[in-house]
Amino acid sequence: MVTLILPRLVDVSAASRRSASVFERNVAALKPVYWLLLLSGFVEPLLYLLSIGVGVGALVGDLPLPGGRLVSYAEFVAPAMLASSAMTGAISETTFNFFGKMKYMKLYDGVIATPVRPFEIAVGELGWAMLRGSAYSAAFLGVMVALELTSVTRALTALPAAVLVGFAFGALGMAISTLMRSWQDFDLMASAQFTLFLFSGTFVPAQAYPTVLHWLVEITPLYRSVHLIRGLALGGDGWLWLLDVLYLLAMMAAGLLVASRRMARLLYK
């Protein structure tokens, strides 16, 4: 029994080290201008929060949560901006940057000449993307606490959820990137991303939409992300957040599987 289990443990350990080497390569190639990109990605959702959440919120008033508790419009919008920030940070890293490394820099053609395999590349790149997504999430939660839109305890609870959202969207973005033929294809992805941003319970409850659109909205990944983080940051819906977690875990697993298989097909052709 020990001889059967030990090789598997060794394989997992070796794969983890190879994935970590992909992550370390990104750290070594980091340039100072990258921090300006990080800042720009954080500022956008913050501006939405201040302009719409606080500005428009002064006209809208309070909104009810599913449990019936009333919250200010800024409190309602802030968790959605956090989910959108986590999504944007992860997708930005695993789409444009990942696609450039794979198709134009031909970086991974050299990487697979080493013992590193496509799945390990995907895991390493996803981990690197989450460094960016986690930075966005932590900074945005700090703003929420400073503006008294959530408590410190709830912010600490919401941070792992935001990281999970980033992992799920990062894996999805990586899978989509392997299907892209040129930079122009990313216009379609940007349109889909912006549509999700507008119609995922971000600015109004999903119940405000017509019935058909309401059910369609509730099965989208960003809505599940918003629902999860809003429930943790503000409270409500009991244990339904477990469904959101399972949804996002399944999305992450599917994204990694598709990305690694597509990479293997492209790199070993």
Side-chain angles (χ1 to χ4, degrees), residues 99-212:
F99 181 76
K101 293 174 187 176
M102 181 174 62
K103 189 171 181 67
Y104 292 97
M105 294 174 63
K106 302 294 183 181
L107 175 66
Y108 304 129
D109 292 60
V111 171
I112 60 169
T114 71
V116 180
R117 302 296 91 191
F119 180 76
E120 295 156 359
I121 294 174
V123 172
E125 289 291 352
L126 184 57
W128 170 247
M130 278 319 303
L131 181 65
R132 180 172 179 174
S134 298
Y136 285 175
S137 300
F140 199 88
L141 278 168
V143 172
M144 287 176 61
V145 171
L147 294 177
E148 299 183 348
L149 300 177
T150 189
S151 66
V152 175
T153 303
R154 288 194 176 278
L156 293 175
T157 305
L159 181 58
V163 172
L164 174 60
V165 170
F167 270 116
F169 275 101
L172 176 64
M174 198 181 305
I176 292 173
S177 296
T178 61
L179 301 171
M180 297 298 183
R181 298 160 298 176
S182 67
W183 295 112
Q184 284 71 30
D185 291 340
F186 284 98
D187 291 339
L188 296 174
M189 190 199 70
S191 298
Q193 185 178 343
F194 190 64
T195 301
L196 283 177
F197 175 69
L198 292 177
F199 296 98
S200 293
T202 311
F203 301 109
V204 296
Q207 293 76 10
Y209 299 122
T211 303
V212 175

Side-chain angles (χ1 to χ4, degrees), residues 6-234:
L6 187 57
R8 296 180 184 178
L9 295 177
V10 172
D11 289 344
V12 171
S13 177
S16 300
R17 288 196 301 271
R18 290 193 289 266
S19 295
S21 68
V22 176
F23 181 94
E24 290 167 2
R25 182 265 164 201
N26 285 309
V27 174
L30 188 64
K31 297 180 180 180
V33 71
Y34 186 80
W35 301 109
L36 294 177
L37 296 177
L38 280 178
L39 181 61
S40 65
F42 165 72
V43 167
E44 181 180 347
L46 178 60
L47 292 178
Y48 272 111
L49 173 62
L50 295 177
S51 62
I52 297 179
V54 178
V56 177
L59 304 175
V60 173
D62 295 338
L63 288 178
L65 294 177
R69 184 166 68 91
L70 292 176
V71 296
S72 69
Y73 189 64
E75 288 179 280
F76 180 83
V77 169
M81 293 295 100
L82 173 58
S84 299
S85 179
M87 174 187 73
T88 300
I91 282 187
S92 296
E93 195 63 47
T94 59
T95 52
F96 296 101
N97 293 347
F98 178 80
F99 181 76
K101 293 174 187 176
M102 181 174 62
K103 189 171 181 67
Y104 292 97
M105 294 174 63
K106 302 294 183 181
L107 175 66
Y108 304 129
D109 292 60
V111 171
I112 60 169
T114 71
V116 180
R117 302 296 91 191
F119 180 76
E120 295 156 359
I121 294 174
V123 172
E125 289 291 352
L126 184 57
W128 170 247
M130 278 319 303
L131 181 65
R132 180 172 179 174
S134 298
Y136 285 175
S137 300
F140 199 88
L141 278 168
V143 172
M144 287 176 61
V145 171
L147 294 177
E148 299 183 348
L149 300 177
T150 189
S151 66
V152 175
T153 303
R154 288 194 176 278
L156 293 175
T157 305
L159 181 58
V163 172
L164 174 60
V165 170
F167 270 116
F169 275 101
L172 176 64
M174 198 181 305
I176 292 173
S177 296
T178 61
L179 301 171
M180 297 298 183
R181 298 160 298 176
S182 67
W183 295 112
Q184 284 71 30
D185 291 340
F186 284 98
D187 291 339
L188 296 174
M189 190 199 70
S191 298
Q193 185 178 343
F194 190 64
T195 301
L196 283 177
F197 175 69
L198 292 177
F199 296 98
S200 293
T202 311
F203 301 109
V204 296
Q207 293 76 10
Y209 299 122
T211 303
V212 175
L213 184 57
H214 171 201
W215 290 111
L216 182 61
V217 163
E218 288 201 351
I219 63 173
T220 60
L222 185 57
Y223 177 83
R224 302 320 316 175
S225 304
V226 171
H227 184 266
L228 171 62
I229 294 178
R230 185 173 282 148
L232 293 174
L234 302 180

